[in-house]
Amino acid sequence: MLLFAHIDLTLPLEDPILKFLLILVIILAAPLILNKLKIPYLLGLIIAGAVIGPHGLNLVLRDSSIILSGTAGLLYIMFLSGLDMDMSDFGRNSWRSLVFGLYTFCVPLGLGILAGYYILGFSIYSSILLAGLFASQTLIAYPIVNRLGIARDKAVTIAVGGTVITDTLALLLLTVIVGMATGNVDDMFWWRLGISVIICIVIIVFLFPLIAHWFFKQCSDSVSQYIFVLAMVFFGAYLAHLAGLEPIIGAFLSGMALNRLIPKTSPLMNRIEFVGNAIFIPFFLIGVGMLIDYRAFFRDWESLEVAAVMIALITVAKYIAAWLTQKSFRLSKDQRTVIFGLSSAHVAATLAAVMVGYNVILGEDANGEPIRLLNESVLNGTILMILATCIVSTFATQRGAHNIAMNHAQDEDEKTPTREDHILIPVANDRTVEELVSFSAMIKRAKDPNGLYALHAIDNRAEDPNSEKRGLKVLDIAAKSAAAGDMYLQQLMRYDVNISNAIISVARERNITDIVMGMHQRNPAMTAIPAIPGIPGTSGPGIGRMVTDVLTHSNITTFIYSPAQPITTVKRHLIVIPERAEKEAGFQAWVRRIRLMAENSGTKVILFAAESTLEHLRPRRGRRMPANVGFVAFDRWDDLPSLEHDLRDDDCLWFVMSRRDRVSYHPAMSRIPGYLEQYFAGYSHVLLYPVQAGATESRYM
């Protein structure tokens, strides 16, 4: 017994190890228990926080460690909501977010002022501040839509953008009302507030992407990249705090600023989501639960009256705002439910506002008691309102998001070809293998973790005893790179009479749909490779004998990629397409890859093609293309070096190729590898060879 004599089990727990262990057990056990009870996971964590908190079993105090973790979790939710947004779609729907933001601010504001002044008998300042509580909202249910894979649905984009707008307006209203109530509003107040807000937004929106772009190009270490992102989130939050805004606004703007630099298929995005969903966000939800005091139900009638008015009016007001948004933009009922669910919860900005109002003392009454801008009944009512709105938010969001996800799945099943993606990545150089895997992940479906194959081929005639050891090392790097992005990559080692024959054989055996290869690194001391009939680019500076053999003896969509910088730091992809490319057999296959790359990366993609070809690429009924894809009429195949004037720093140049004597072949294609060395050196580039009718191994079409 002496062994356990030093253990302190008095309540509340003070041992940090026991406290942390208890919370981890709750995070681990909550899904197992709640799934059987059909209670949303988020709501379960809030209830668990109420049970173990100071107002429940008093197992854990809501001390500085819980507050710190909870604050990080709240900032993480807002950061993820900005990071997950489809920025091109947000650009198209920004005015919709503005309209919804005004709906969800003005409707609760109007009802709140009337309720506070006429029903509860508050002063005009207190009524306006109470109405500000009604208008603000917290995206507590955002992890639900993120987990169900609909974070880029139009309804979610509108709700997230509207949340930032209404929270900003509500917190600015808080600042102004407190200043007016205390007599601190003068002409300089407005100048200070306006200038500080503008400076904060400019720094985050314009300076953060430049800093992040430079850092990601200079540093490839995964841990350093994650710590850098986390630092940017908190720096953005602190800048917002200095400007007089709520830190959640800065976190959201930081997510939007880094959006294009962290593709959703990248390993960095996987790490960000994993750590947030595993640690930070659950800590925040448990911390919210610790605020709930069930005794407020029985404390006094005024607290119950205020809570009832707040809950009823907030629910009605947010539903009206969601209904108006649905009617304004012709959304579905499920989308309306998601908007209502996401906008219903009140935690972060509401708590900030009520605590500020509670701490503002306007004077003393006849008994010497302080007269507060918001009294204790509002504080108690707010705690009950948080519990009620979190329940409504999680159930509504769960129902609407589940229906939308099911509809999306059915649509994808109808549109998705029956053949699965099988992408083969021949690897030999450990310096480029990670980029080849990242490129392959970017052109495949984000929801499919399978379908990647890495092949290291060894020539039987080679007498190098270390070739197998080097191959295993390269394959291991490829597998780790894929695993970091939450994808499974199958490693293949193959001995054959030559490397190209090994690639072709594996492509047949594994039913490969696409091949992603590195560009041949030409040794200037070597003599030029003899031209291969039908394959452009094999005379003079070319793509290499091995790649040429693969193209000659297979008919599979092939990408030959030469990275000059990490693909996540590329700002634009310029894709040059030959005339009549739409008449080739593999046209739809490679267009689908381009569309997936645009969706997964969020990077600007510009298609250069003849006007007749662009007609088959532009979106129209039954044919969609992401909003970040642009179209430029191009007829300069006889003067390809002139493309140098269209290139900017951090561009990636693509050429869609063709075999000789095919419909879309142009004589300039044979000179493209030379142009890449002479005119476009220093830029990442891709040569894309589509499937073509009548070519070798046509069964792969």
Side-chain angles (χ1 to χ4, degrees), residues 185-250:
V185 172
D186 54 18
D187 291 339
M188 288 303 298
F189 171 85
W190 298 105
W191 281 105
R192 286 195 302 269
L193 181 63
I195 292 174
S196 61
V197 169
I198 291 173
I199 291 175
C200 169
I201 294 175
V202 168
I203 290 176
I204 295 176
V205 173
F206 295 101
L207 187 59
F208 275 27
L210 297 178
I211 297 173
H213 184 268
W214 173 85
F215 184 85
F216 290 150
K217 288 185 71 172
Q218 302 299 319
C219 178
S220 60
D221 179 66
S222 58
V223 175
S224 298
Q225 287 185 347
Y226 178 78
I227 297 299
F228 170 80
V229 169
L230 207 59
M232 297 299 281
V233 174
F234 281 86
F235 184 39
Y238 186 67
L239 285 176
H241 175 69
L242 291 178
L245 299 174
E246 188 66 16
I248 57 175
I249 307 298

Side-chain angles (χ1 to χ4, degrees), residues 324-377:
L324 290 173
T325 304
Q326 178 203 6
K327 296 302 179 183
S328 298
F329 307 124
R330 299 180 181 179
L331 303 177
S332 68
K333 291 183 179 179
D334 289 325
Q335 289 176 315
R336 180 191 66 198
T337 303
V338 166
I339 292 175
F340 169 66
L342 289 173
S343 61
S344 294
H346 291 64
V347 180
T350 305
L351 279 175
V354 75
M355 292 306 299
V356 169
Y358 181 76
N359 291 326
V360 173
I361 299 175
L362 304 177
E364 294 183 356
D365 59 15
N367 299 322
E369 295 294 329
I371 300 175
R372 302 179 184 274
L373 189 57
L374 293 178
N375 59 29
E376 189 174 356
S377 64

Side-chain angles (χ1 to χ4, degrees), residues 130-142:
L130 181 68
L133 303 183
F134 290 6
S136 65
Q137 57 198 44
T138 304
L139 292 173
I140 196 171
Y142 182 80

